[in-house]
Amino acid sequence: MLNITHRDQVLEMGIDKYNETCRSIVTRYTKEWESTITRLGRWIDFENDYKTMDPNFMESVWWVFKQLFEKDLVYQGYKVMPFSTACGTPLSNFEAGLNYKEVRDPAVVVNFPLVEDEETSFLAWTTTPWTLPSNVALCVHEKLEYVKILDKKSGRKYIVAKTRMCQLYPAMSKKKWKPSMGEELFEILATFPGTELVGKKYVPIFDYFTKDDNASEYFRVLSDNYVTDDAGTGIVHQAPAFGEDDYRVCLAHGVIQKGAELPCPVDGNGMFTEKVPPVKGEHVKKADAKLMEIIKENGRLVQKDNLDHSYPFCWRSDTPLIYKAVPSWFIKVEEIKDRLVENNKKTYWVPNIVKEGRFHNWLVDARDWAVSRNRFWGTPIPIWATDDMSEVICIGSIAELAELSGVTIDDLHREVVDKIEIPSKKTPGVVLKRIDEVFDCWFESGSMPYAQKHYPFENREKFESGFPANFIAEGLDQTRGWFYTLMVLATALFDKPAFQNLIVNGLVQAADGKKMSKRLKNYPDPVVVINKYGADALRMYLINSPVVRAESLKFKEEGVLGVVKEVFLPWYNAFRFMMQNIERFESTGRKFIPSSVKVHGTTNPTDVWISAATQKLIKYVHEEMQAYRLYTVMPELVRFITQLTNWYVRLNRDRLKGAEGDDDDAEVGLQVLYDVLLNMTTVMAPFTPFITEFFYQHLRKMQPSYPEHVNGGGAQNPVKPGKSDSIHYLALPTYDPSRLNENAVEAMEKLQTIVELGRNVREKRLINLKTPVKNVVVILRNPSQNVIDSVTGPLKGYILSELNAWELTIVPRESEHEWVTLSLTPDFKKLGKKFGSKMKTVAATIKSMSHAEAVGVLEKGHLDIEGGTVDALTEMVSKLSFSKEGEQWESASTQEGDAVVAIDCTQDDAILAAGRARELINAIQQLRKNAGLDLKDKVEAFFLENETDPIIEAAVSENVEVFRSKFKGSVPLPKRYAPKWSVEICSENVEVAGSKVQVTLCRPAVAAREGLPDEQTIFLSTLQPYSVETGAELSFSVDGKDLKVKEGVDFWLSTASKLAATKTVVWL
């Protein structure tokens, strides 16, 4: 926006104008953020929000800092820190870790001739040639072995670590290298430990700092254990202004003095100063090439190469960082790190591994925190001091500043406070001015618990009653950021953590696993995603992802679409299905009113199961949400939606539609479905706030309390479904222990296992579900009596219907051996340690057991063998395998081997006819749907097929009762029997059992006796069946002639009735 690259440009522009621009950017993005967050469905009080730029917030930050200052936890010093040359300010270590990139840097080996023997040189390797003008020392490891060699190619003598000669001679790192090959390359002249090199003087590459006050201590060899032999030459060049270890080592050896000026020829913008004339005004990274050329010209360049490695970039400007010694204000974190560790133990994290792992480790190794930044926008550090820092005071409030300076202000930004001077109390006539720095933004973030409430200036009781915070949530990258600064400041101020519970979310990455980047545009626009799929789909995609387990998510737009297709559409279809059938129910003249009495009183096994599953879900959600485990809640909610839509609604579709002829039972089913959907909608509301609000607004209208909403709705207590204007006014439902029914859940799980295995068997033999099978045989490993009673009793009909089977056989235990073989496998991991060398014998014995022997072991519960005992339940795996002989059988088993389902796949004429009948039923139902017919609309169905091979008529004739139960007594008939006056509703050619069949739906019509005179048939063609009673005698006149016809003699109310009465079709 401002195209500013250096801090001098800000000073030229004016801090006031620069900060005003920053303020406008914050305001602009605040509006954008508010819009997006609101659209996402997050409830935030934007009218009473806080911003770190607010004077009240900034004043509390001042108070926090003064508390630390007064506790002697603040000091000023030099520190080598990650430094952003683009922003002209140091960064914290956790900021430096936010943006690593792969880069290619120059890697050079340079020589440093010994003063005592200029024919011999130390060799040092570096990837930052720009730091060589600032070199003041070399460092070795005292215990490493070093060698003096003669390089035969150049004739020069070098000193390097013996294990790092491969840096000069890369061939030494290859597998084909042999020691004899070295004779052509070098000669080892001497070997010595690092201790013998310490103190030796060398000739510097550059002379820019040879005249420093402390130069007599420069240009010598030091030692430290940080030197390794895993790269380079085993000798490290020291530039204390640009390396954390360099600074530490040089300070420890007296090369530099604490507080004294460092040999640093680089300014705050990363540009070389006049101290290095050849590259004055050049950025350090761009100066590498010119400096290497100078080094080469001076005969000091031994080797030049490139290194590809990971390098930190500024997270704000996306430019390479350097390490640079800067004067900074520090918080003494090392002094309180034991308390940090203890306070961390008082917190609860999800997942706990982040707390016990990386966060704990970060606290244990905590270093003093540099909180000052050389920036313009931010909270100014409230320290006023004399030029020589002989008098320093820290201000903790606006009132204190006014008292000491006589100036009252209402804005604490630099353009205001930098002008204020405070008269010295020690030296009359001298004034104290504010220091230049502002706070690190993480200090402001860490002060948030206090500053958001303007504590301690306001809201003291409110703050103290709510601190520590109940819970916070942020990304994994905040382990060294916000989580850390919150803990540091709360511990320093109150010796307690700032929060009780913490949810750590992972990072959302681009689909390719890279960091999302506006510059690269490697992710879809969130606003577009929300508008395309809805906020709920995006919310659920994220909540049901690894992100809520503090793991990374590779964001894929198709994943959001998957939520819509796999969760929302089935859920919506179940809701719509219920609403349609409530409307159908009310069309009979009855009113649907939600009734807990009917829900609790149902005996239908699927009603009892889905109600129990709902209560179990509610209980589970309460338990897991109290433990802040989002990652366990969401999968369970998704699974429940699948159970509701794929099982409950599917199994009860005809019942809920009233197709089974019992409207009272249909109402009970609808009551249960309504109760489940209302509970589920309320439970899901925090996760998917928009679709649940849509459902609720429809569901509430049926509640008896709905009329009360006109008097205030959800705004008035007591809140209750119907009356409340929004589902978000309702509390999560509490579970009813009396409706938890483990027996119903267990039985239903077994039904699902049987049905799914049965479907697998059908797929194996390519048997269409429309074709029935004779017998489904089920073998279960140690089923409970509840399971046996349920699947052979109330659930049997559902299993037969789902698998389109005629019979269901549950094999008793005493007959298992006729169908399956039980095999046992030892758990090698557990038993290997127990039996050792005997394990091979133990395993062979267990695996070779017969069915009867294996059953005996399971019934006994253990096996005594080879002087030890094997627990049958925990140290063995049992598995059932189908073993019945016969081509007609096909089977499938669970992965655990505890259930086997076998199907008799025999396809005789009766089976084939039943299959064709099922296909015809489906064709008629589809035709009714296409015609827009309602369930209560009566029609007559006729079919026309190839009369030379009337397979459809045969199929209908053998399955008359099936058709009657499906179509409320009606049976499809050959079209040749249709009255000529039948009014056709729709007709379509369909394929049944591979044959083309014309299926026609007609309005109900009376059917006349064959041979009836035309006058009477014409009259009958005008009649509607519903207007005539059975057995009625009708009189009428035609051309003055009186005529009569009698129902049951001359005509019938349907074609089927006529054909049955006249025995024209014997199968009716």
Side-chain angles (χ1 to χ4, degrees), residues 724-765:
S724 296
D725 286 334
S726 170
I727 194 161
H728 302 295
Y729 292 153
L730 303 179
L732 283 181
T734 54
Y735 79 97
D736 181 352
S738 68
R739 295 172 68 191
L740 293 174
N741 191 323
E742 288 302 323
N743 283 344
V745 173
E746 178 193 33
M748 195 63 193
E749 286 175 350
K750 202 59 68 178
L751 173 146
Q752 292 176 16
T753 298
I754 293 169
V755 170
E756 286 169 350
L757 289 176
R759 289 173 183 165
N760 289 344
V761 174
R762 280 180 165 274
E763 288 176 9
K764 283 183 180 181
R765 283 291 182 99

Side-chain angles (χ1 to χ4, degrees), residues 77-97:
Y78 270 106
K79 189 163 187 177
V80 177
M81 300 182 65
F83 192 90
S84 171
T85 58
C87 298
T89 186
L91 304 182
S92 63
N93 285 324
F94 40 82
E95 283 180 296

